[in-house]
Amino acid sequence: MSGVTTAGSTRVSWFEVDRLPLPGATPMQAVRRFVGNAYVVHARAGRAEFWWIWLFQTVLGLVVNVGVGSLVRGASVVSWSVGAYGSSLFAPWPVVVLGRPAGAGPGASLSQGASLEVGQFSIGPFGPAGPAWGGMTWVALVWGLWCLMTFVPMATLTIRRLHGARAWGWGWFWLGALIPFLQIVVVFLLARETQPPSARFLERERERERDRDRDRDPDPDPPRAS
């Protein structure tokens, strides 16, 4: 069952969610809105809605690529990067790189002199590995498919959060995607407090409210029979 709720609150259905920002959203509320508004762009999102999902994607990427990837035979290089959008497809900042030592033969393992780099700090050697299958492991394939599956929902969530910060949604998203160092600016915009809606969004919200009123009461005062 799905019903109309107060502004900023989620509906009962996973696939029908209010498009207004929800201040202080819980992780579960953030997930509900992430799923329900997966293909919605003309809306706004609060900070918690975005950063809970960003944190989930980032931790998942770390566990899959570094945790699982370093233990799977066939991994010649294991890496994990982070960016403003919570997707490895547009992640310009390498955080962890676990690679086979330079000059090592195809049979060499990651544990033979490889190092684990976290930013600029080397912690190696670390991790077992065997011959690579076409240069790609099943871990990289699974993670790549996950990134493709979640790319559009992450993109729309980022644009909604930029709208919530009263920033240029589409513009800043593509500037950050095409010019990676501009993602630093995007991060500051995404971390901004939710701002009052612009006139454009106010008008859209009024139109949606009028549509909801018509759906609830399509004919409030029917003509009386004479």
Side-chain angles (χ1 to χ4, degrees):
M1 177 174 131
S2 172
V4 177
T5 63
T6 58
S9 61
T10 57
R11 297 170 185 257
V12 175
S13 169
W14 274 89
F15 302 103
E16 192 174 356
V17 181
D18 199 324
R19 300 182 180 191
L20 299 179
L22 178 61
T26 65
M28 184 56 67
Q29 287 172 323
V31 170
R32 287 172 63 95
R33 285 169 167 256
F34 178 66
V35 174
N37 284 334
Y39 302 101
V40 175
V41 175
H42 296 294
R44 298 183 300 128
R47 280 192 299 187
E49 296 174 53
F50 175 84
W51 288 108
W52 277 122
I53 300 300
W54 185 94
L55 180 63
F56 170 77
Q57 289 278 77
T58 301
V59 171
L60 183 64
L62 178 63
V63 170
V64 171
N65 289 285
V66 179
V68 177
S70 65
L71 300 176
V72 171
R73 296 187 64 80
S76 57
V77 176
V78 174
S79 64
W80 171 70
S81 300
V82 66
Y85 304 146
S87 172
S88 294
L89 296 178
F90 295 117
W93 307 313
V95 176
V96 178
V97 178
L98 173 60
R100 185 173 295 167
S109 69
L110 288 177
S111 61
Q112 295 175 343
S115 63
L116 176 65
E117 299 175 6
V118 181
Q120 300 299 317
F121 302 96
S122 179
I123 311 178
F126 183 82
W133 172 69
M136 177 178 287
T137 66
W138 66 266
V139 175
L141 180 62
V142 168
W143 182 246
L145 291 174
W146 174 258
C147 289
L148 289 175
M149 285 174 52
T150 58
F151 167 67
V152 171
M154 284 304 306
T156 57
L157 174 60
T158 302
I159 293 169
R160 292 197 304 274
R161 173 77 279 264
L162 289 167
H163 288 161
R166 208 166 184 176
W168 185 23
W170 280 104
W172 277 114
F173 175 83
W174 285 113
L175 283 173
L178 299 174
I179 310 174
F181 72 85
L182 285 181
Q183 286 195 26
I184 297 172
V185 179
V186 176
V187 167
F188 282 106
L189 293 173
L190 293 170
R192 241 182 126 190
E193 289 187 6
T194 302
Q195 303 296 310
S198 63
R200 176 168 62 100
F201 275 96
L202 276 175
E203 183 56 33
R204 286 182 183 275
E205 288 166 10
R206 291 192 188 104
E207 289 177 2
R208 284 197 291 268
E209 188 62 35
R210 287 194 291 268
D211 291 341
R212 286 195 292 265
D213 289 341
R214 282 196 294 270
D215 291 340
R216 287 197 300 265
D217 196 1
D219 192 7
D221 190 15
R224 295 181 180 179
S226 55

